Each structure stands twice: as structure tokens, then as C-alpha cells.
Amino acid sequence: MLELHGVTAGYDPRRPAFRDASLTLAPGEAVGLLGPSGCGKSTLARVAALLHRPDTGQVRIDGETVRRWRHAAPRAQRTAIGVVFQQPRLSADPRLTLYDLIAEPLRATGRRAEAAARTGELAAATGLTGDLLRRRPHEVSDGQLQRACLARALALRPRWLICDEMTAMLDASTSAALVAVVERYRRDHGAGLLAVSHDRPLLHRWCDRTLNWPDTGAW
């Protein structure tokens, strides 16, 4: 289980983005988090991804309480979660080719021996051709770069996947393709999904249940 209990978080302790939120995500379950821009749902997603330390409350992964955040978190907890952000150009190193972008998590965790095979597998799964893998972010479209960012998120075979407005900047066909990749991954690996969006029809089609944020603080 991926669990958030009584979490309050934000970027100014005097004015948190949200207060006392709780969320439970089971293995293999797809949960949608629906809300307007600026309501704090992306901050909650970052807390769930161990990228932002909450002011109060607890995050637990498979029953183990998270005590450290970002790069200080234990590797087993960090690598259990894959994240895809809304804006791929802000989350991709512009110096890297798409190939290196996808392979980066494998190399960083000492899995260089499997990097080539795994990167090729993920490129094929996300619809990236060999010529695209040799290009850098400024040489590809937003949709092509987001495909690479999704492949990167899946590189370490995470048990939990967090997609924060993953399709917000994409056309309909690319959005459908990336959702299909996520669904195949969930089916094959039993991963849980937290999908954050302001697109109600998308979440209702995609997820097992959809939560309205911030109408309620506990789910």
C-alpha cells in the first residue's frame, strides 16, 4: 500500500497548500485526483512521490514509514515510485539525448549492464524510434519528450506510478498512446497508479475511482 495519513504540506508553513489530507492506494489500483489548477493536488503528488517533505503527517510505503525525502530517502523507497510530470521540458536535462534520459535511472542505481536492453524495450513500448533516441530535448516535440519521460519513469519497474497532469500539454492521440502504455505496465506488473488531472472525462475512463480535490481530505 501507498498511504498518506493526516498530511499537511506546502511551500510556506504559514499558508500550506492543503491540510490534514489522507490517501490510500492499493497495488494494482488506479486512483484519479481531480481538481482545478492551483488547488494543491500537484503538491500532494510530490509528497506521495517522496519529492516534498510534508509539514505534518506520515507517508508509508508497504507499511514502512518514510522518514527521509528526495535523494536522502532509502533507495528501496525511492525506486518503488515512478513519476511523470506535466511539463517534460522542466523535468528533462537538456544536455542528454533521449536515450541517456531513459537510461539515467538505471545507470544511477548501478544497473549499467541492463541499460541498453531496458532502454530499447522502453523506447519500443512508448513509440520512440532509434533516430529520436539520438536527439536532445530541444530537437523533439513535447509529445516525443513526454514519451521519453514516461519511459524513464518505468525504467526501474516501480510498484507505484504517479502521473501529474501527464497528458495536459499533449494532443489527443499522444495522450491516448501514453495512457495505453501506463495501462499495459499496470496490467503486467500490478502497479498502483495515482493520476492527477483537471480532466474529469479522462480520469473517469482511466481510473477505478476518482477523488474530488479539495472537497474531502480523506479517502
Side-chain angles (χ1 to χ4, degrees), residues 83-103:
V83 189
V84 188
F85 298 101
Q86 176 180 356
Q87 296 180 300
R89 299 196 185 279
L90 297 182
S91 61
D93 188 332
R95 300 167 297 179
L96 298 180
T97 64
L98 298 197
Y99 178 95
D100 290 330
L101 180 72
I102 298 168

Side-chain angles (χ1 to χ4, degrees), residues 7-149:
V7 170
T8 295
Y11 301 93
D12 180 347
R14 296 168 298 179
R15 299 178 61 187
F18 59 85
R19 298 178 184 274
D20 198 29
S22 298
L23 170 68
T24 299
L25 178 62
E29 183 182 27
V31 173
L33 189 61
L34 175 70
S37 298
C39 69
K41 60 187 187 299
S42 290
T43 303
L44 182 134
R46 290 182 61 83
V47 172
L50 312 189
L51 295 174
H52 184 78
R53 180 189 292 273
D55 299 324
T56 62
Q58 289 186 335
V59 178
R60 295 177 188 163
I61 301 175
D62 298 326
E64 184 176 351
T65 300
V66 175
R67 304 192 185 281
R68 290 182 290 171
W69 305 84
R70 297 182 66 86
H71 299 297
R75 177 178 291 183
Q77 292 184 338
R78 283 201 322 269
T79 58
I81 301 171
V83 189
V84 188
F85 298 101
Q86 176 180 356
Q87 296 180 300
R89 299 196 185 279
L90 297 182
S91 61
D93 188 332
R95 300 167 297 179
L96 298 180
T97 64
L98 298 197
Y99 178 95
D100 290 330
L101 180 72
I102 298 168
E104 185 181 25
L106 294 158
R107 294 168 175 167
T109 53
R111 305 182 194 182
R112 289 179 175 271
E114 65 177 289
R118 181 67 175 149
T119 299
E121 173 189 332
L122 290 166
T126 54
L128 292 172
T129 57
D131 65 309
L132 289 173
L133 292 178
R134 292 189 290 271
R135 299 181 188 178
R136 288 178 169 77
H138 72 276
E139 299 174 313
V140 299
S141 68
D142 286 343
Q144 290 163 340
L145 185 56
Q146 192 69 305
R147 289 173 189 266
C149 289

